[in-house]
Amino acid sequence: MIPQPLPTDLFADLLVAVLSGHRPVHSMLRHTRGRAYDDLAWLAERGPLRTRGARPVVRDIGYYEPRPGAIEAFARIGAGDRLRAMAFRLELGRDRRWRCTAVELGGPRPPRPEAD
């Protein structure tokens, strides 16, 4: 039997592909919920993982389950000789599909309305 990849592995690869410019941000519409899509679009516009050479790859992933149906994950991303950190949260919907509800990368963060 072939082991199924964890949702953290799948989402880390999807997020890296978007943040490196190898996949359009709109491809994540059905895989995100809440403000995560807006944050991802803001980050992708800045191309934080775009490189001139080696394509960024997920080197390591760790996660914590704060409650059933929620995963908070981190990934180490290698891009050439650089190493970056990415954090993201996944939540299981009523339809039994995982969706990204938050994503962060080191560096500037998207502006937030004062009401938050």
Side-chain angles (χ1 to χ4, degrees):
M1 179 181 237
I2 298 172
Q4 292 293 329
L6 296 172
T8 52
D9 299 339
L10 297 172
F11 273 87
D13 287 338
L14 287 172
L15 292 169
V16 167
V18 168
L19 295 173
S20 64
H22 289 99
R23 186 177 177 119
V25 71
H26 69 265
S27 68
M28 292 298 291
L29 271 170
R30 67 187 188 121
H31 300 290
T32 56
R33 196 175 85 211
R35 194 184 338 239
Y37 181 79
D38 293 336
D39 290 350
L40 184 59
W42 188 89
L43 286 167
E45 187 177 294
R46 283 143 185 81
L49 297 179
R50 287 191 185 129
T51 61
R52 293 184 189 266
R55 186 173 177 159
V57 295
V58 178
R59 299 265 175 110
D60 186 33
I61 298 176
Y63 66 93
Y64 168 71
E65 294 183 55
R67 64 172 173 77
I71 299 173
E72 294 179 352
F74 70 87
R76 291 182 190 94
I77 312 301
D81 60 348
R82 294 191 65 196
L83 195 60
R84 301 281 308 262
M86 176 175 67
F88 56 100
R89 180 180 173 93
L90 304 177
E91 293 186 15
L92 192 58
R94 290 184 180 156
D95 60 0
R96 307 303 299 160
R97 290 181 43 208
W98 289 97
R99 288 184 179 77
C100 181
T101 58
V103 61
E104 289 186 10
L105 213 60
R109 292 186 178 187
R112 295 271 185 245
E114 289 196 32
D116 281 354

